[in-house]
Amino acid sequence: MANRDSSRLATRRLFNVQHICLFPPFASRDWPFAWGNAMTASADAPILAVNNIEVIYDHVILVLKGVSLTVPVRGIVAILGANGAGKTTTLHAISGLLRPSQGEIRFESRPIHKLPAHRLVALGIAQAPEGRRIFGTLTVRENLNLGAFAQTDHAKIAQTLQWIYELFPILAQRHNQLAGTLSGGEQQMLAIGRALMAKPRILLLDEPSLGLAPLLVKAIFQTLWEINEAGVTIVLVEQNARAALKLAHRGYVMEVGRIVLEDRAEALLANPEVRNAYLGGE
């Protein structure tokens, strides 16, 4: 934890030195939701349990082969693996975009694997997909409003929007700008903000650093940590294995549709096989 905290402090100092006005100091923020304290992952019953699921594409191709994982309350779980390992398919199964042909998924002990995606958003599961998938012909504000489609309390919607603007001040500055004209990093912030507008208990993130410059990757991951500190559980699929494991509490490694390794994030960072396969052998 000491190394992780030191790294975050160094990142924050780097932003201050560079005068990058993307993120205000964490201590000045007033978090608007009673999500609880997320300093460490809870040891209580998991908020999400994926039990032995299989997913078949086109009634022929078996993509997930008995995948099981658990996500602790207020934890951060990273899913690692090469392209085609089944990481995105796992997220799609959790979010209701794909239905498992076998096994079950439980959210807060309730089976959810047969529910449609919009019902899961209302329950508290939101996803920021790979490739951002923002609506380029709509403004930043309109994209964010779409994320709140399942919310009915207008005062809370406004409060959530203000919180997202505090997380990502550049979005507040560009709220009337067409989303398609934003930079790649700004579009990623918008995709995360849109998902947060649903006030999720669990935030699913698919490759949030894809295509971003290293400094922006640090900024995005700093903000993910702060979102988790606010009490939001995070499941993260990420190509940058080192950054993902430094952020996460626990990690899973997938190969060809199966979980082949799981452990604490610190242990995976030190694992020789993981280092050789995903960390360049360093």
Side-chain angles (χ1 to χ4, degrees):
M1 290 297 295
N3 290 337
R4 181 182 296 177
D5 292 341
S6 298
S7 175
R8 287 165 181 159
L9 180 59
T11 299
R12 174 62 68 204
R13 286 172 176 166
L14 175 62
F15 294 151
N16 291 339
V17 169
Q18 296 290 337
H19 303 288
I20 297 175
C21 298
L22 294 175
F23 307 91
F26 174 66
S28 71
R29 300 195 185 158
D30 182 17
W31 299 103
F33 309 123
W35 272 320
N37 296 321
M39 302 303 290
T40 58
S42 171
D44 298 333
I47 190 172
L48 181 74
V50 177
N51 299 316
N52 197 37
I53 65 167
E54 293 186 354
V55 171
I56 299 175
Y57 282 165
D58 299 325
H59 306 286
V60 175
I61 304 171
L62 183 61
V63 180
L64 298 185
K65 308 165 186 176
V67 169
S68 296
L69 58 87
T70 58
V71 181
V73 176
R74 300 187 299 274
I76 303 177
V77 168
I79 304 176
L80 310 178
N83 289 338
K87 306 183 301 297
T88 294
T89 300
T90 300
L91 290 191
H92 285 178
I94 294 170
S95 63
L97 296 175
L98 293 171
R99 181 168 293 185
S101 58
Q102 177 179 304
E104 66 172 8
I105 302 172
R106 288 182 172 268
F107 174 62
E108 296 183 323
S109 301
R110 171 184 177 178
I112 61 169
H113 51 283
K114 295 183 180 180
L115 297 179
H118 69 278
R119 289 279 305 280
L120 297 186
V121 173
L123 287 176
I125 300 175
Q127 181 171 354
E130 181 180 5
R132 297 142 198 167
R133 303 287 183 90
I134 53 98
F135 294 92
T137 57
L138 300 181
T139 67
V140 167
R141 176 67 178 271
E142 289 168 338
N143 270 271
L144 292 172
N145 286 342
L146 286 173
F149 79 93
Q151 305 298 312
T152 57
D153 188 322
H154 292 287
K156 289 184 177 179
I157 291 173
Q159 189 180 27
T160 306
L161 181 65
Q162 180 58 38
W163 176 59
I164 290 166
Y165 283 160
E166 291 174 2
L167 280 175
F168 303 114
I170 194 68
L171 297 184
Q173 296 173 27
R174 309 206 190 292
H175 70 280
N176 284 325
Q177 185 171 323
L178 291 180
T181 65
L182 298 177
S183 70
E186 291 164 355
Q187 289 186 9
Q188 186 60 66
M189 296 174 198
L190 179 56
I192 295 171
R194 182 180 59 190
L196 288 174
M197 285 294 292
K199 289 186 61 178
R201 298 287 311 284
I202 293 183
L203 176 63
L204 309 177
L205 295 166
D206 197 351
E207 304 285 8
S209 77
L210 186 64
L212 302 185
L215 190 60
L216 272 177
V217 172
K218 290 182 178 181
I220 292 291
F221 274 74
Q222 170 70 20
T223 303
L224 295 183
W225 171 69
E226 295 180 3
I227 291 167
N228 178 248
E229 288 286 295
V232 183
T233 302
I234 294 176
V235 180
L236 172 66
V237 164
E238 174 55 46
Q239 62 171 351
N240 189 331
R242 186 182 303 279
L245 290 175
K246 285 183 176 180
L247 178 72
H249 301 111
R250 192 165 188 83
Y252 291 81
V253 178
M254 295 190 69
E255 291 182 3
V256 199
R258 301 181 189 275
I259 301 290
V260 296
L261 184 62
E262 63 172 290
D263 208 333
R264 293 177 298 105
E266 293 89 345
L268 289 177
L269 274 170
N271 184 298
E273 294 182 7
V274 174
R275 295 174 74 88
N276 287 332
Y278 303 105
L279 304 177
E282 298 178 8

